[in-house]
Amino acid sequence: MAVQTSTRPQGGSRTSSKTAVPSPNGAVSSKSTPSSSSSDIQDHNILNLSSNAWQALFGVTILAFFVRLFRIYQPSSVVFDEVHFGGFASKYIKGKFFMDVHPPLAKLLITLAGWLAGFDGEFDFKDIGKDYVEPNVPYVAMRLLPAICGVLAVPTMFLTLKAAGCKTTTAAFGAALVTFENGLVTQSRLILLDSPLVIFTALTALSWTSFINQHELGQKAAFKPSWWFWLAATGVTLGATVSVKWVGLFTIAWVGSLTALQLWVLLGDSKTVTTRLWFKHLFARIFCLIVIPITFYMAMFAIHFTCLVNPGDGDGFMSSEFQSTLNSKGMADVPADVAFGSRISLRHHNTQGGYLHSHAHMYPEGSKQQQITLYPHKDENNVFIAENQTQPINWAQDPTGNTTISGPLAWDSASPEYIKDGAVIKLYHIVTDRRVHSHDVRPPITEAEWQNEVSAYGYDGFEGDANDLFRVEIIKSMSSGSRAAKERLRTIETKFKLVHLMTGCVLFSHKVKLPAWGFEQQEVTCARGGTLPNSVWYVESNAHPALGPEAEKVNYRNPGFLGKFWELQQVMWTTNAGLVESHAWDSRPPSWPVLRRGINFWGKDHRQIYLIGNPLIWLASTAAVALYIAFKGLAVLRWQRNCNDYSNMTFRRFDYEIGVSVLGWAFHYFPFFLMQRQLFLHHYFPALFFAILTLCQIYDFVTTRVAGLGVKERPLIGWTGAVVFLAASVAVFALYAPLAYGNQWTKKECERVKIFDKWDWDCNNFFDSYAEYSLLPSAPASGPAPTGQAAHAGPAAPVAEDPAKDISVTPGLNLPLPGQVSGQPGQVVEQKIEYRDENGVLLDEEQVKALEGKVSFSTRYETRTRLVDPDGNEIDEGVAVEVDGAGHVGGEGGAGVRGTLAEGVESETPAADAGIGGTPKANNAQADLKKAAALENQAGGAAEPEAEAGKATGRGEL
């Protein structure tokens, strides 16, 4: 191994006059006693910038201000994940608890911006494309918060490069690249979380780079005010980053790895760093980089809990103890012991799906008996009487003990008999007079052999049958509280299973929702060998006439802040990991560095917002990262071959400084390869920031620090290269700007810049010329025009409903007429297209051709129903039509067929109320619902999923 002289290792300052061996990462291992100072390190304090640097900083900031805020009011309707994050602001203002997979900081800031602008929380942000203007939503103020974060990312890049020792030209160059990066511009103009995430990541990079600079000055600068300030600032910004999204954990990993390297180098500096001083360094970093971020993170959740005090659509995710802390969710103390005859409500332990529930609606299939479900809200239909398998003996009437008291209320007057482990019970539903029942019939949704249907069966006065019997099995390991909770049923404390006596299956529920006929409540089955968590129940409410006010009472324990905090972290993690379903606009990490695919955000009035980066900046930054990786690989090989590269100061500084940025890129990129959940292009933005940082640092080394290339000696070359590259970046930005701002565009211009097939925005969505945009009628305030699915499929031109879907014909007929198209059996469709002007005057083909490109045509349909014979002659409605067994049509005037005529003219739709072709209107209700849902999908699309309950939390998203 070669012997070399150490001057400064990677991650710390050390100088030694004795022999040392460089490690592959550029650090130097040695048995000598080095010092913790280095003469080649300068103090790049960003507070001591030159006047030229301050002017450049001011200039790029003003430029970013105009680029980010240009037409920020556009579009004036809900875009993509504004559905979620705008909706969360509404819930914060109303205090309604919700569950989201992201920490609360950015959402709280957006809420604050809206509240200061007068937002009252009444607008629900429910659908993409929903209009902001008519309900007077201060959406511009709410968008300003992410926009300001986007603006601040520009000077932060400038200052980070200056803190790293780059020239002012390089810093301005990097800031300008961030300014004209299309993806960052698009994301920062909307009510989304990624712009706050990027700015806090950038501020962390700035703080940490400034601290590294202080650290490398040696022990003379250690523990000075500037040293403490930048170390504490790193901790605060780390806490803020992870409080926006858990992607901030990658930032913590980046800082943590470099901190470990610093401490390792200090440990080897036995000359100037004593053991006591080393521990001082250790504890200072523990406090600033661990305690401060954790405290900041938890403080954000404390504010979160303070704001959300009312029940909402997210409390179903939380435990009963958690829910009991919300207003109106609290419960009065209830008797602890459960006896035969007690009126109880049973709650499922695992899914937080709610209470065992029944209602007077039957299963449409299977036994067609009354439904048993899980319902998340308190309701009288959740109350059951816990009956013994045998009725109590009426000793007062019959001392011989041969007479029993009948009915479910038989235990009201008797002394309470507690339900013990192993007892056999029946559950009597008070409202409908039926008992919980199971049998060898498959459930309505989960048609597995090991699952049986659970229903409510019986009637008032019916004593029940053997299929109503369940055995109580207490789960001692899960039961808490007193010892008695492990021996007999006690409210809240005892966790138990209900085993069906006849089949051996256990009462079971899982996160499977029933269809509309079951009101989308959770399915309850009886499972043979069901998993323990989904088979566990407990009693929440309990009342018995014989249990007086002196009876022992229990209630949920208050989990306190720490309990609520920890539970919410677990639910967030589980929900985040569960976002594994495919999404129309998701993409995988290998495609991000080369910008293979974007995300469709919004489309309306032949305009579109599509998240795509600046290809030039994107690919150049990726090339810069690849260049360093190639350099590092070659450097390791040359080190192994005993080359003396690391004795060169510039070589070592290049390896370390660029390596720090590439390490940040790697920590924010490669962990996504381990994730199976939905991922999107915007997950790459923090890594993109480090990639641009890498690109600028390489440029700075090549143009100002590396000798021998001829560029350092000729500054004009480097300056010209930066200007040319920046000009090209601005030009590319302008080419794709219509997709960032939602501006007017033409098909030809769109197709010209669509480089990859994977760039799947729809150029047909735009007009052929800009003149056509002036002919668009003003959009109604009630809602947007259909644009296709904004998050599931590319936007398409508005599509009118096909009248053929509403055809109703005489059953049994399948006789296509001459020149007509035969559709499904028994249906005949005839279409005729007419063009009319605004006054209803019929236009011929020549007139229509002359108007093409000058006016816009709207399509409207008229559906007519008529009776025609095989020759196409119309038959009077009063003529009877006979159909023989062979399907031949006969009657007065000859054979006939009933069909429809669809014409492209503006008119009322005949027979709309009665149903086409005489079909009753009620029969078309299902079709109407399907069409309405289809139109809603066209108009709104779908945002990223954040959570399952109430579909309030998609984009879901790390």
Side-chain angles (χ1 to χ4, degrees):
M1 195 67 68
V3 176
Q4 307 193 10
T5 301
S6 169
T7 55
R8 183 209 170 275
Q10 182 181 28
S13 304
R14 59 190 297 185
T15 302
S16 175
S17 60
K18 296 190 178 182
T19 57
V21 180
S23 64
N25 65 1
V28 181
S29 59
S30 175
K31 295 300 183 181
S32 61
T33 26
S35 65
S36 297
S37 62
S38 180
S39 59
D40 63 298
I41 300 299
Q42 299 179 9
D43 184 5
H44 302 292
N45 192 335
I46 62 173
L47 300 179
N48 299 326
L49 298 180
S50 66
S51 60
N52 289 338
W54 284 114
Q55 291 172 9
L57 176 62
F58 180 77
V60 294
T61 304
I62 294 299
L63 180 62
F65 183 85
F66 285 105
V67 172
R68 293 295 193 275
L69 272 61
F70 176 70
R71 293 181 179 175
I72 196 171
Y73 56 83
Q74 178 178 288
S76 60
S77 56
V78 179
V79 177
F80 198 55
D81 274 357
E82 289 185 339
V83 166
H84 300 304
F85 305 122
F88 294 150
S90 176
K91 292 170 183 175
Y92 269 125
I93 291 174
K94 291 188 172 182
K96 292 185 176 180
F97 185 84
F98 63 89
M99 212 299 295
D100 182 34
V101 296
H102 303 304
L105 175 57
K107 299 189 289 286
L108 287 168
L109 292 175
I110 292 170
T111 302
L112 178 62
W115 180 76
L116 291 175
F119 182 47
D120 58 5
E122 291 301 322
F123 188 80
D124 59 11
F125 296 84
K126 186 177 181 180
D127 301 305
I128 293 176
K130 191 170 183 179
D131 181 59
Y132 283 136
V133 177
E134 184 181 9
N136 198 28
V137 180
Y139 71 100
V140 173
M142 298 174 74
R143 286 179 180 173
L144 275 175
L145 188 279
I148 295 300
C149 291
V151 171
L152 292 177
V154 173
T156 303
M157 171 63 81
F158 183 98
L159 294 173
T160 303
L161 289 168
K162 289 298 293 181
C166 295
K167 301 298 182 182
T168 299
T169 301
T170 304
F173 175 60
L177 293 184
V178 173
T179 300
F180 293 105
E181 207 299 296
N182 296 63
L184 295 176
V185 171
T186 305
Q187 201 77 2
S188 65
R189 292 168 45 81
L190 303 169
I191 307 172
L192 304 174
L193 305 188
D194 294 277
S195 186
L197 175 67
V198 169
I199 183 55
F200 287 126
T201 304
L203 288 172
T204 301
L206 170 61
S207 301
W208 181 245
T209 303
S210 297
F211 175 74
I212 287 177
N213 190 34
Q214 294 295 311
H215 171 76
E216 289 182 339
L217 293 175
Q219 296 307 307
K220 64 180 182 180
F223 307 106
K224 296 294 179 63
S226 182
W227 188 94
W228 276 110
F229 174 81
W230 289 116
L231 184 60
T234 302
V236 172
T237 51
L238 280 175
T241 305
V242 77
S243 295
V244 173
K245 283 188 177 184
W246 278 353
V247 172
L249 293 172
F250 306 153
T251 314
I252 292 176
W254 173 61
V255 171
S257 63
L258 294 174
T259 300
L261 181 59
Q262 287 179 355
L263 292 171
W264 178 253
V265 172
L266 287 171
L267 187 63
D269 188 0
S270 58
K271 181 178 180 180
T272 58
V273 180
T274 64
T275 302
R276 179 177 178 277
L277 186 59
W278 186 87
F279 274 102
K280 188 176 180 181
H281 277 279
L282 173 64
F283 290 131
R285 286 163 172 79
I286 289 176
F287 175 77
C288 291
L289 302 181
I290 297 178
V291 175
I292 288 180
I294 290 177
T295 303
F296 188 100
Y297 182 77
M298 296 179 69
M300 294 303 102
F301 279 93
I303 299 173
H304 179 76
F305 292 144
T306 301
C307 294
L308 304 180
V309 295
N310 299 317
D313 55 19
D315 55 32
F317 282 89
M318 313 312 295
S319 69
S320 302
E321 288 84 356
F322 191 108
Q323 293 183 39
S324 67
T325 64
L326 303 175
N327 293 338
S328 78
K329 281 280 188 173
M331 185 178 70
D333 293 347
V334 294
D337 291 301
V338 181
F340 290 113
S342 288
R343 283 72 165 166
I344 62 174
S345 63
L346 295 180
R347 190 153 192 172
H348 197 235
H349 176 70
N350 191 45
T351 63
Q352 282 85 48
Y355 304 89
L356 191 68
H357 177 92
S358 189
H359 41 231
H361 296 274
M362 309 301 164
Y363 290 121
E365 299 175 356
S367 67
K368 298 186 178 181
Q369 295 174 4
Q370 185 170 298
Q371 299 171 15
I372 293 287
T373 65
L374 225 61
Y375 183 61
H377 306 292
K378 294 182 178 180
D379 186 90
E380 63 179 1
N381 281 319
N382 305 338
V383 182
F384 296 82
I385 294 178
E387 299 180 297
N388 199 345
Q389 63 176 330
T390 58
Q391 296 296 114
I393 297 175
N394 191 343
W395 296 103
Q397 289 188 4
D398 186 359
T400 63
N402 294 322
T403 304
T404 60
I405 304 174
S406 61
L409 306 181
W411 293 268
D412 286 1
S413 57
S415 298
E417 181 183 354
Y418 299 142
I419 300 176
K420 298 181 180 180
D421 187 20
V424 177
I425 65 172
K426 297 180 287 185
L427 294 174
Y428 180 88
H429 191 240
I430 297 176
V431 174
T432 60
D433 296 311
R434 291 183 169 93
R435 293 177 177 86
V436 177
H437 182 93
S438 187
H439 40 219
D440 191 15
V441 176
R442 300 290 74 76
I445 303 299
T446 309
E447 297 182 355
E449 287 298 321
W450 56 278
Q451 297 265 32
N452 289 343
E453 178 191 83
V454 174
S455 63
Y457 175 70
Y459 49 86
D460 187 16
F462 179 63
E463 294 295 333
D465 60 26
N467 281 324
D468 301 339
L469 301 178
F470 291 84
R471 183 176 66 253
V472 175
E473 289 190 1
I474 295 176
I475 306 171
K476 295 178 173 57
S477 60
M478 298 179 67
S479 299
S480 59
S482 62
R483 180 179 178 182
K486 304 178 188 300
E487 299 175 352
R488 63 178 186 265
L489 284 192
R490 284 176 60 89
T491 307
I492 298 175
E493 297 175 353
T494 303
K495 308 300 185 294
F496 59 92
K497 296 190 295 184
L498 289 174
V499 182
H500 191 242
L501 212 59
M502 297 299 294
T503 62
C505 60
V506 293
L507 197 65
F508 179 92
S509 187
H510 49 175
K511 290 184 177 180
V512 173
K513 296 295 183 66
L514 297 174
W517 53 258
F519 307 97
E520 297 185 351
Q521 295 173 14
Q522 195 164 303
E523 183 184 46
V524 174
T525 67
C526 195
R528 292 187 292 272
T531 58
L532 179 63
N534 287 335
S535 305
V536 179
W537 304 82
Y538 65 93
V539 175
E540 183 183 82
S541 66
N542 174 29
H544 194 292
L547 293 174
E550 69 283 353
E552 181 185 358
K553 303 291 180 65
V554 294
N555 207 332
Y556 288 115
R557 66 173 182 84
N558 190 326
F561 168 74
L562 290 179
K564 293 173 65 177
F565 170 81
W566 182 244
E567 179 180 341
L568 185 55
Q569 306 310 301
Q570 293 176 306
V571 173
M572 289 167 59
W573 178 269
T574 303
T575 306
N576 204 337
L579 298 174
V580 295
E581 296 182 2
S582 62
H583 191 282
W585 297 105
D586 62 7
S587 55
R588 303 311 299 173
S591 69
W592 298 342
V594 291
L595 197 62
R596 292 299 303 275
R597 193 181 192 216
I599 309 173
N600 185 31
F601 272 7
W602 174 89
K604 180 183 176 183
D605 295 335
H606 298 276
R607 307 179 193 214
Q608 188 173 356
I609 293 179
Y610 186 95
L611 180 67
I612 196 73
N614 186 315
L616 181 59
I617 297 174
W618 209 282
L619 297 177
S621 62
T622 300
V625 172
L627 178 63
Y628 173 79
I629 294 173
F631 160 82
K632 187 65 178 179
L634 181 61
V636 171
L637 291 176
R638 287 178 58 82
W639 172 79
Q640 186 67 18
R641 294 295 299 167
N642 300 327
C643 296
N644 200 28
D645 297 329
Y646 281 97
S647 63
N648 183 286
M649 180 62 62
T650 303
F651 187 94
R652 287 202 312 275
R653 294 304 301 176
F654 181 93
D655 183 35
Y656 173 64
E657 292 180 16
I658 309 297
V660 168
S661 298
V662 172
L663 185 65
W665 172 86
F667 268 115
H668 289 82
Y669 175 57
F670 288 113
F672 287 106
F673 282 86
L674 304 177
M675 300 181 189
Q676 301 301 315
R677 53 146 295 160
Q678 296 169 354
L679 297 172
F680 301 85
L681 179 66
H682 59 73
H683 285 119
Y684 185 72
F685 283 157
L688 176 65
F689 183 88
F690 284 99
I692 295 175
L693 196 64
T694 301
L695 172 64
C696 297
Q697 288 178 290
I698 291 178
Y699 165 81
D700 189 77
F701 267 93
V702 170
T703 58
T704 65
R705 301 169 71 173
V706 177
L709 298 178
V711 181
K712 177 181 179 181
E713 295 76 13
R714 301 174 181 84
L716 184 61
I717 296 177
W719 188 86
T720 303
V723 171
V724 170
F725 186 87
L726 182 57
S729 300
V730 174
V732 173
F733 170 81
L735 289 175
Y736 294 95
L739 292 175
Y741 295 107
N743 289 340
Q744 298 175 358
W745 219 14
T746 64
K747 292 179 183 177
K748 185 176 180 180
E749 291 175 340
C750 173
E751 292 168 351
R752 182 162 53 107
V753 299
K754 197 171 183 180
I755 302 174
F756 302 119
D757 292 336
K758 287 284 189 178
W759 289 0
D760 44 3
W761 64 80
D762 187 5
C763 290
N764 292 321
N765 195 47
F766 303 100
F767 281 128
D768 292 318
S769 67
Y770 288 106
E772 294 180 73
Y773 284 96
S774 63
L775 300 175
L776 280 177
S778 58
S782 58
T787 62
Q789 292 189 356
H792 285 292
V799 179
E801 293 184 58
D802 184 358
K805 295 179 181 178
D806 289 332
I807 292 174
S808 178
V809 298
T810 305
L813 299 181
N814 188 17
L815 304 174
L817 301 181
Q820 294 179 330
V821 180
S822 178
Q824 298 177 0
Q827 296 183 354
V828 178
V829 180
E830 181 182 19
Q831 293 184 333
K832 180 181 178 181
I833 301 176
E834 294 179 350
Y835 292 89
R836 299 178 183 268
D837 62 16
E838 65 274 14
N839 297 319
V841 178
L842 187 66
L843 305 177
D844 57 30
E845 293 183 4
E846 293 182 359
Q847 292 173 312
V848 172
K849 189 173 182 180
L851 291 172
E852 287 182 354
K854 300 178 181 179
V855 300
S856 61
F857 291 93
S858 60
T859 304
R860 302 192 182 185
Y861 286 91
E862 178 184 283
T863 304
R864 297 177 182 172
T865 305
R866 64 177 184 171
L867 192 66
V868 296
D869 61 20
D871 297 324
N873 300 317
E874 189 165 358
I875 302 174
D876 183 73
E877 288 285 344
V879 179
V881 179
E882 296 179 1
V883 184
D884 61 19
H888 299 105
V889 183
E892 299 182 23
V897 58
R898 196 173 185 82
T900 64
L901 175 66
E903 298 183 354
V905 296
E906 180 178 356
S907 175
E908 297 283 313
T909 302
D913 293 331
I916 299 174
T919 303
K921 181 178 179 181
N923 293 345
N924 290 331
Q926 192 67 25
D928 291 341
L929 290 173
K930 291 180 179 179
K931 288 189 292 181
L935 286 175
E936 182 178 353
N937 288 335
Q938 288 180 0
E944 290 184 34
E946 291 290 331
E948 184 177 333
K951 301 189 183 299
T953 64
R955 271 321 292 275
E957 180 185 357
L958 180 71

